[in-house]
Amino acid sequence: MPETLTPREVFTKLLDNIAAGRYAELAGLYAADAVVETVFEPVGPRRTEGRAALEERFAQVAAVSPVELTPANVVIRETDDPEVIVAEWDYQVRHRPTGKTFQSANIQVLKVRDGLIVHSRDFHDHLALIAATGALPQLVAALDGK
């Protein structure tokens, strides 16, 4: 029987896959009934339920994302609950079309059971990503319902 990954190991694998652009492998880190809340998501769903929905979401991101993400300054904090960690890190972001680089802050509170993410509350600086990639006018239009 394979050894079950710890919450810290699961998070590290998540970041490694994102940094390598292996978005197709991300959904496999989540439980079939996982819940992901993207608290600061300015447009679109702030809650995604189930591995299948996450797989679809990650495929969409992989298809349209103009950025390369490199994790830096990673700090993982254990909690009183052995299933829960709090991770803080920055992404060093490179916008491929322009070559522009910038930094984006992130925090995730992950609950991992039996080696799979069952719940995640994600606090990503979506506005920094949107502004730096020049998509702020589209965001404003989307928020205005245009």
Side-chain angles (χ1 to χ4, degrees), residues 18-40:
I18 291 169
R22 294 188 303 260
Y23 290 95
E25 296 178 26
L26 295 179
L29 298 173
Y30 291 82
D33 60 350
V35 173
V36 174
E37 298 174 87
T38 49
V39 178
F40 295 140

Side-chain angles (χ1 to χ4, degrees), residues 70-89:
T70 303
N73 309 317
V74 178
V75 176
I76 302 172
R77 292 175 168 52
E78 308 287 330
T79 70
D80 290 344
D81 183 338
E83 293 183 333
V84 177
I85 61 167
V86 177
E88 300 176 57
W89 76 100

